[in-house]
Amino acid sequence: MTIGVYAAPHLARPTVAEVFVHAAARIHRAAAEIWPGDPVLLDQHVPSVTGYVHRVRVADRTLYAKTSFLGISLVSLLRGTRGSWAVVRQAQQDYEQRPDGLLAREAAQLRALAGLGGPQVCSVVGMQSGVIFTEAVPGLTLTELLLDRPAQTEELLERCLLELQPLHRPGAARRLMPTGAMEERSIAGTFLRKFDGTAGAHYVEQLGVERVERLMREQLVELVRASVRRLHGLRMTLPSAPGTTLAYGDLKPEHVVFPNGPDGRPVLLDPGLLQASPMIDVAKLLSRTVLFLVAHRPDSATVRQILDGLAVLAVARAGHLSAKERRAWVRHLLTLWLMDTLNITTTYLSAPAGLPLPALGKALIERADRVCCLADVVSADLHTPGARGLGDRTLDRIAEVAA
């Protein structure tokens, strides 16, 4: 794939080398402060577009260390949205001391969830100078199990959502919200932040500049621009009240691990608790599972079994509603699904060429035309007044894209 170039390079942007060297040094220093005298080895970098993540060996323990720069994604940071590296470093010194920093809230949420009895989450073993250390969780991920046991898709996904029931009980928000909600990880909030106004239009215009060849990039920009326009209108139809329950907020299949096998309780990674409808978690689980299928491209029978399981899961959550209410529920779910799909797909497309991407991100860039076509067609369908059969048509279109 040919890499494009910026028409006017931002020479003052932080470089990948500057950011990564600084982050690795912070992790090593933080580990040495928490466990003085223990040998510390930075084992393997884990590619991410959000924070800097590294697998670490401390004495005989395997941990995962994560840092955040100013609470924004690495992609935004490296695109120069917060200025030069000198400006970022100065701001980061203050940010690391803030009690409401992104990772400080994540550590607090993990500890609060551990005391709630569910969902099961990875254990925080240390937090120092803006670096969070968590225990490694062995076992197969949900994505691996879905490929291995596609006929059990509904059962596996239900097991994940069952873990979230304590978040839906009265008083859960009161007990957990002092830790600080992560509203910046909400689907609609992220969509608005990325795509609103003049800055949003410029963001779309620059999609794929360093990752995609010119003609393909022009097609992607037009598809995303049309989808975003429709979704802005659909966003206004979503319920505005935050609800009385909590959503996990960042429920992704690759961050669900089954340490005791598919029949055991899963362990969830990377919470992003926010006061919102449980539909948020269903939408993100749907979105990220579909993107995994598009990127991995299993055989058609496997795709169909997984999609059927997703459909049954969604229908079960709307089964108590009237036919009219159920149609509205499906529209809301699909709107959130498309928002999240565009949120993460455009993040990958916006990544500077030097930023290592996870395998999923690389695959989605290669197939971005099909993902963006899917978003365009389904958003047009959602935008059509009185459209029926949205769920079934959408499943068929996903199956075609994942082929």
Side-chain angles (χ1 to χ4, degrees), residues 3 16 47 57 60 219 279 282 308 320 334 379 384 386 390:
I3 302 300
V16 172
R57 293 282 297 173
D60 60 348
Q219 178 188 2
M279 185 189 288
V282 179
D308 287 346
H320 64 289
L334 293 179
S379 64
T384 303
L390 289 170

Side-chain angles (χ1 to χ4, degrees), residues 53-108:
V53 184
H54 219 111
R55 193 168 65 197
V56 181
R57 293 282 297 173
V58 179
D60 60 348
R61 302 173 71 185
T62 298
L63 308 175
Y64 281 90
K66 180 164 61 174
T67 68
S68 171
F69 285 90
L70 306 180
I72 65 174
S73 72
L74 285 179
V75 171
S76 293
L77 186 84
L78 293 168
R79 286 175 50 235
T81 60
R82 296 300 178 90
S84 68
W85 176 234
V87 172
V88 169
R89 282 197 66 174
Q90 182 61 46
Q92 182 68 15
Q93 291 180 10
D94 297 331
Y95 181 78
E96 289 173 10
Q97 306 307 316
R98 288 173 50 177
D100 64 341
L102 183 68
L103 295 186
R105 281 178 285 154
E106 181 172 322

